[in-house]
Short mmCIF file of all heavy atoms in Angstrom, two decimals:
data_model
loop_
_atom_site.label_atom_id
_atom_site.label_comp_id
_atom_site.label_asym_id
_atom_site.label_seq_id
_atom_site.Cartn_x
_atom_site.Cartn_y
_atom_site.Cartn_z
N ASP A 512 54.66 105.06 52.61
CA ASP A 512 55.72 105.27 51.49
C ASP A 512 55.67 104.16 50.59
O ASP A 512 55.72 102.94 51.03
CB ASP A 512 57.11 105.37 52.28
CG ASP A 512 58.03 106.13 51.39
OD1 ASP A 512 57.72 106.57 50.28
OD2 ASP A 512 59.19 106.29 51.82
N SER A 513 55.72 104.39 49.34
CA SER A 513 55.69 103.21 48.23
C SER A 513 54.55 102.35 48.42
O SER A 513 54.69 101.00 48.32
CB SER A 513 57.11 102.57 48.20
OG SER A 513 58.11 103.37 48.10
N ILE A 514 53.32 102.80 48.73
CA ILE A 514 52.20 101.99 48.94
C ILE A 514 51.83 101.26 47.66
O ILE A 514 51.11 100.26 47.71
CB ILE A 514 51.06 102.87 49.70
CG1 ILE A 514 49.78 102.06 49.96
CG2 ILE A 514 50.62 103.92 48.61
CD1 ILE A 514 48.72 102.65 50.76
N MET A 515 52.06 101.92 46.50
CA MET A 515 51.60 101.33 45.23
C MET A 515 50.06 101.04 45.25
O MET A 515 49.85 99.82 44.86
CB MET A 515 52.45 100.20 44.85
CG MET A 515 53.97 100.57 44.81
SD MET A 515 54.48 101.98 43.75
CE MET A 515 54.20 101.19 42.13
N LEU A 516 49.29 101.97 45.62
CA LEU A 516 47.87 101.75 45.63
C LEU A 516 47.19 101.69 44.24
O LEU A 516 47.20 102.79 43.63
CB LEU A 516 47.27 102.75 46.63
CG LEU A 516 45.90 102.49 47.11
CD1 LEU A 516 45.90 101.42 48.20
CD2 LEU A 516 45.30 103.74 47.80
N PRO A 517 46.76 100.65 43.79
CA PRO A 517 46.08 100.59 42.45
C PRO A 517 44.84 101.48 42.43
O PRO A 517 44.29 101.68 43.46
CB PRO A 517 45.80 99.12 42.22
CG PRO A 517 45.61 98.54 43.57
CD PRO A 517 46.52 99.26 44.40
N HIS A 518 44.53 102.03 41.24
CA HIS A 518 43.26 102.77 41.15
C HIS A 518 42.12 101.86 41.08
O HIS A 518 42.13 100.69 40.64
CB HIS A 518 43.39 103.66 39.84
CG HIS A 518 43.58 103.06 38.59
ND1 HIS A 518 42.49 102.67 37.68
CD2 HIS A 518 44.61 102.69 37.84
CE1 HIS A 518 42.92 102.17 36.65
NE2 HIS A 518 44.28 102.18 36.71
N SER A 519 41.00 102.36 41.37
CA SER A 519 39.79 101.53 41.65
C SER A 519 39.34 100.75 40.25
O SER A 519 38.74 99.76 40.39
CB SER A 519 38.60 102.34 41.98
OG SER A 519 38.32 103.47 41.29
N SER A 520 39.51 101.37 39.13
CA SER A 520 39.21 100.72 37.92
C SER A 520 40.05 99.40 37.54
O SER A 520 39.57 98.51 36.97
CB SER A 520 39.26 101.68 36.69
OG SER A 520 38.35 102.70 36.90
N ALA A 521 41.24 99.53 38.21
CA ALA A 521 42.27 98.40 37.98
C ALA A 521 42.07 97.22 38.89
O ALA A 521 42.07 96.03 38.53
CB ALA A 521 43.57 98.90 37.93
N ASN A 522 41.87 97.67 40.21
CA ASN A 522 41.69 96.64 41.26
C ASN A 522 40.87 97.30 42.33
O ASN A 522 41.63 97.84 43.33
CB ASN A 522 43.07 96.11 41.59
CG ASN A 522 42.96 94.90 42.66
OD1 ASN A 522 41.88 94.77 43.33
ND2 ASN A 522 44.05 94.28 42.78
N GLU A 523 39.59 97.14 42.31
CA GLU A 523 38.74 97.95 43.29
C GLU A 523 39.14 97.47 44.80
O GLU A 523 39.27 98.28 45.63
CB GLU A 523 37.38 97.62 43.01
CG GLU A 523 36.35 98.78 43.51
CD GLU A 523 36.13 98.67 45.09
OE1 GLU A 523 36.15 97.43 45.62
OE2 GLU A 523 35.88 99.61 45.58
N PRO A 524 39.08 96.12 45.09
CA PRO A 524 39.34 95.78 46.49
C PRO A 524 40.68 96.29 47.08
O PRO A 524 40.71 96.70 48.17
CB PRO A 524 39.28 94.20 46.36
CG PRO A 524 38.39 93.94 45.27
CD PRO A 524 38.82 94.97 44.18
#
Side-chain angles (χ1 to χ4, degrees):
D512 202 4
S513 301
I514 188 174
M515 304 303 289
L516 195 69
H518 60 93
S519 55
S520 298
N522 187 338
E523 203 285 334

